[in-house]
């Protein structure tokens, strides 16, 4: 077989293997999917004979894999070239309109660069639902509020439009006349909102022939959407067909009318043909309130409250009389707060304030005290019109406000009085509510600086401020050693001062209570703050015992060394004596001589210790006479310096 036949055979075998394996292809493509905001959405994408790498695009832009946001649905590794990894489905976690709503595509790269079997699914929409606004009705381009009428002449066509804004997907609109579903004039139209293209506006138009039989029929537009809690929201209007005289009162307030803010238009609508004349009257007054169909109050005031009636009349007859009761709400107003703008109270005595306000509905009261605590500028002190403080302390000193509150249409209306000041005079008082005092202790690490601070209030100003501990006492502005007391400084509160004790290089022995003592002309106060000093290391007791052990070992070694030195000296002396070959007779005479000297005195003189033994007298001593102390010292030094010689 030649070379060319071999190449043909290899190509044929490769083609056969490729045909047996097969090209990768979709088993299931993504489908249109809707999810509620915050829910997880699954985009299904499954591939047969997958060898390429899966990926996703949204709105023609690649999407990465991010834990807890975009995650693969399959446990197999995406990107494997085995048949096991054919699931490219994607979880979209906690779906959000601004990030996840759009057109999604599943893509798979080619098996290899020579095989053109890359896959791209059809774009499908993942819809993150947004509940539309409540649908609204429009008649001849005018908004018809819920519960109002669509007025039309008998025999005419009533054209009504229903609009639902800002939904995703757009709401599905249906029409009902009474209990019967009716068809719209044209199919529903959906368009994106100009100011929010991700949401939709749905509109539908219906035309209804108006006749007397349909007078009073309910026209309802029903908006269907999965994100509504009840899956649907309806808006209704009543058909008003003119015929023989009847009247209907429109515009009765559906919410509270607030004085000076709301306007009111009451309509006494005559259902009559020909047109009827309308007369408005107010109960308790003889004059006519209006001869128009509409009674307008712009804006309403409390003087407009009362009972109103309307009546219509035409050539056919006179209508019944309709009435509406108007109740005008108005915000609270403080009439008085006091008794005075400034009240002075001795410490621990009672004090009282009173507030009077008007409003409709009747307001409730709250007394607040202005405080300088960060994040909480006011402190509640009472919920009645009269505030009584049974026991005045410096915590109560400051400015007070009376707040009168009522609610109109669910909104709070509040009036606030001018500030009322409470001045407290008396003996000093350390504020137990300050941070250090409230916790009763301050903790620092050993070697750090400690700062103990307390706030004290007094009127008149304290004349004496000091810190005490043990037997020590430091006045404000003084110091001793590591201890220093700052001069008293003014606190943010009136008649309150900051007293501070600094302790440098805190040690365990500094751990104790420290007392702040404050005095003025009216008395004194005393309060303690405990200082806790924490060791630098948690194993400090172990280290101390370790050091003591080392010291003991060193001492024992030193004693052993001393004993060895003494032993060495004695050993060398012995050897020295043996090396000079002392004679027994000489030793005996020397011992007798020493004994006689010892007997002659109980405490020999110092030089006698170094007296030369008798046995040495026959030797020549160049450093003095043989028995002199100098010669003995030379002899002893030689014994110490000279190593012992074994016999």
């Amino acid at each position: 077989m030649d070379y060319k036949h071999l190449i043909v055979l290899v190509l044929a075998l490769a083609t056969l293997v490729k045909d047996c394996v097969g090209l990768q292809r979709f088993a299931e493509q993504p489908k249109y999917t809707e999810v509620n905001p915050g829910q997880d959405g699954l985009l299904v994408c499954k591939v047969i004979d997958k060898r390429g790498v899966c990926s996703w695009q949204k709105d023609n832009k690649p999407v990465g894999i991010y834990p807890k946001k975009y995650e693969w649905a399959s446990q197999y590794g995406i990107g494997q070239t085995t048949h096991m990894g054919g699931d490219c489905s994607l979880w979209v976690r906690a779906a959000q309109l601004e990030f996840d709503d759009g057109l999604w595509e599943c893509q798979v790269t080619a098996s290899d660069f020579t095989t053109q079997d890359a896959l791209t699914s059809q774009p499908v929409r993942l819809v993150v639902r947004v509940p539309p606004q409540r649908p609204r009705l429009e008649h001849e381009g005018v908004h018809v509020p819920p519960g109002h009428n669509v007025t039309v002449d008998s025999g005419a066509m009533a054209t009504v439009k229903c609009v639902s804004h800002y939904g995703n997907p757009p709401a599905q609109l249906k029409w009902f006349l009474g209990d019967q579903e009716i068809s719209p004039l044209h199919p529903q139209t959906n368009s994106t909102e100009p100011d929010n293209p991700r949401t939709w506006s749905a509109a539908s138009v219906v035309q209804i022939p108006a006749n007397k039989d349909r007078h009073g029929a309910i026209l309802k537009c029903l908006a269907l959407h999965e994100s509504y809690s009840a899956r649907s929201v309806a808006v209704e209007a009543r058909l008003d067909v003119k015929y023989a005289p009847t009247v209907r009162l429109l515009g009765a307030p559906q919410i509270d009318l607030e004085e000076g803010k709301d306007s009111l238009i009451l309509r006494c609508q005559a259902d009559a043909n020909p047109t009827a004349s309308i007369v408005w009257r107010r109960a308790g007054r003889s004059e006519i309130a209006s001869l128009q169909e509409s009674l307008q109050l712009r804006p309403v005031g409390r003087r407009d409250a009362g009972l109103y009636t309307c009546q219509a009349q035409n050539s056919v007859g006179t209508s019944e009389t309709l009435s509406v009761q108007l109740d005008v709400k108005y915000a609270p107003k403080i009439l008085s707060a006091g008794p005075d703008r400034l009240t002075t109270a001795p410490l621990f005595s009672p004090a009282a304030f009173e507030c009077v306000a008007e409003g409709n509905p009747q307001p409730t009261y709250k007394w607040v005290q202005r405080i300088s605590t960060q994040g909480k500028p006011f402190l509640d002190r009472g919920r009645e019109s009269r505030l009584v403080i049974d026991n005045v302390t410096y915590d109560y000193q400051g400015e007070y406000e009376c707040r009168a509150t009522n609610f109109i249409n669910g909104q709070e209306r509040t009036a606030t009085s001018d500030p009322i000041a409470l001045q407290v005079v008396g003996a000093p008082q350390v504020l137990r509510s300050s941070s250090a005092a409230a916790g009763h202790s301050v903790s620092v690490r050993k070697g750090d600086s400690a700062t103990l601070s307390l706030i004290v209030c007094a009127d008149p100003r304290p004349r004496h401020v000091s810190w005490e501990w043990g037997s020590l006492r430091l006045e404000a502005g003084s110091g001793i050693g590591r201890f220093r007391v700052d001069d008293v400084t003014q606190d943010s509160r009136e008649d309150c001062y900051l007293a501070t004790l600094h302790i440098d290089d805190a040690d365990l022995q500094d751990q104790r209570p420290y007392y702040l003592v404050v005095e003025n002309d009216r008395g004194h106060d005393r309060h303690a703050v405990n200082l806790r000093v924490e060791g630098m290391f948690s194993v400090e007791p172990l280290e101390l015992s370790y050091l003591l052990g080392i010291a003991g070992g060193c001492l024992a070694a030193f004693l052993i060394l001393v004993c060895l030195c003494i032993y060495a000296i004695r050993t060398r002396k012995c050897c020295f004596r043996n090396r000079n070959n002392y004679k027994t007779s000489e030793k005996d005479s020397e011992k007798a001589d020493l004994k006689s000297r010892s007997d002659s005195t109980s405490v020999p003189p110092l030089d006698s210790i170094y007296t030369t033994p008798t046995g040495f007298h026959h030797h020549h001593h160049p450093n003095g006479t043989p028995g002199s102390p100098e010669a003995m010292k030379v002899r002893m030094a030689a014994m110490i310096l000279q190593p012992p010689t074994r016999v």
Side-chain angles (χ1 to χ4, degrees), residues 458-469:
D459 189 4
R461 182 185 177 94
R463 65 181 181 183
H464 175 76
V465 177
S466 64
W467 286 87
E468 296 180 354
W469 66 98

Side-chain angles (χ1 to χ4, degrees), residues 433-513:
S433 60
S434 59
S435 59
H440 300 293
S441 66
V442 173
S443 297
V444 297
R445 296 182 64 84
K446 180 181 177 181
D448 291 348
S449 295
T451 300
L452 310 181
S453 296
L454 289 174
I455 296 175
V456 59
C457 297
D459 189 4
R461 182 185 177 94
R463 65 181 181 183
H464 175 76
V465 177
S466 64
W467 286 87
E468 296 180 354
W469 66 98
S471 61
L472 295 179
R473 178 172 182 166
L474 279 183
E475 303 290 337
S478 63
I480 179 173
R482 296 180 293 108
F483 300 88
R484 173 172 45 90
V485 177
D486 291 345
D487 288 326
V488 175
T489 59
Q490 180 70 45
D491 189 58
S492 57
R493 286 167 286 190
E494 184 182 0
D495 296 332
C496 293
Y497 310 91
L498 181 66
T500 304
L501 169 64
H502 300 280
I503 303 174
D504 296 332
D505 192 16
D507 198 355
L508 294 177
Q509 64 185 5
D510 299 327
Q511 187 167 265
R512 64 172 66 236

Side-chain angles (χ1 to χ4, degrees), residues 177-400:
L177 185 60
D179 296 329
Q180 183 180 1
E181 183 176 358
I182 59 177
S183 301
L185 182 62
H186 304 290
Q188 174 181 322
T189 60
N190 301 319
S191 60
T192 58
E193 297 286 356
D195 57 341
N196 189 355
R198 292 189 180 275
T199 58
W200 297 81
S201 173
S204 180
V205 179
V206 70
Q207 280 189 344
I208 303 173
N211 54 55
K212 183 178 180 180
D213 295 338
R214 287 182 173 171
H215 175 69
I218 299 298
L219 179 64
K220 178 171 65 175
C221 174
L222 184 66
L224 303 175
H225 200 276
E226 287 296 322
S227 63
Y228 285 143
S229 58
R231 300 293 188 271
S232 65
V233 173
V235 60
E236 299 178 351
R238 187 181 298 274
L239 290 179
D240 182 25
V241 181
K242 292 184 178 180
Y243 57 98
T246 57
V247 293
R248 179 175 294 277
L249 182 63
L250 302 175
Q254 303 298 315
I255 60 175
D256 292 337
L257 297 175
E258 185 172 0
E259 181 182 36
K261 292 188 176 182
D262 294 330
S263 297
L264 178 65
I265 301 178
L266 290 175
R267 296 178 59 193
C268 186
Q269 188 180 63
D271 185 10
N273 188 24
T275 303
S277 59
I278 307 296
V279 177
W280 281 97
R281 289 185 173 86
R282 182 176 176 181
R285 297 185 182 181
S286 57
E287 67 272 13
I288 295 175
S290 176
L291 294 175
Q292 303 297 322
E293 180 183 281
S294 299
L295 176 65
Q296 300 184 10
L297 303 173
R298 296 177 180 268
V300 295
R302 67 187 71 182
R303 64 183 182 280
D304 298 322
L307 180 66
Y308 290 81
T309 62
C310 75
Q311 191 175 42
Q313 183 178 7
N314 66 0
S315 58
V316 178
T318 302
S319 70
E320 60 179 344
T321 301
L322 299 181
S323 61
V324 58
Q325 181 72 44
L326 296 184
D327 184 20
V328 179
K329 308 295 185 180
Y330 49 94
K333 179 181 179 182
I334 303 293
L335 300 180
S336 65
D340 299 311
R341 296 290 299 275
L342 175 61
T343 300
T344 300
L347 187 65
F348 304 129
S349 67
F353 304 105
E354 188 168 6
C355 183
V356 178
E358 63 176 357
N360 185 22
Q362 184 65 32
T364 59
Y365 295 90
K366 181 169 72 171
W367 285 94
V368 297
Q369 178 187 359
R370 293 182 179 178
I371 58 177
S372 58
T373 304
Q374 186 176 4
K376 187 178 181 182
F378 295 98
L379 181 65
D380 290 354
R381 286 302 190 185
R383 295 281 178 169
E384 302 292 337
S385 61
R386 182 175 174 82
L387 172 65
V388 178
I389 305 173
D390 296 326
N391 188 25
V392 172
T393 63
Y394 288 105
D395 289 329
Y396 289 95
Q397 180 167 270
E399 291 187 339
Y400 288 76

Side-chain angles (χ1 to χ4, degrees), residues 33-41 43 57-59 63-64 66 68-71 90-105 124-129 168 198:
T33 305
E34 290 186 15
V35 294
N36 290 328
Q39 291 182 344
D40 297 340
L43 298 175
Q57 282 194 354
K58 173 184 170 292
D59 296 334
V63 176
Y66 302 99
K68 297 183 180 180
K69 185 57 183 176
Y70 303 124
E71 300 176 345
L90 182 72
W91 276 110
V92 178
R93 304 293 188 185
Q96 295 177 292
L97 176 68
E98 57 270 26
F99 298 115
D100 306 319
D101 187 273
L103 295 175
W104 290 74
E105 300 176 28
V124 296
R125 189 169 187 84
L126 173 62
V127 176
V128 181
R129 300 187 186 105
N168 189 40
R198 292 189 180 275

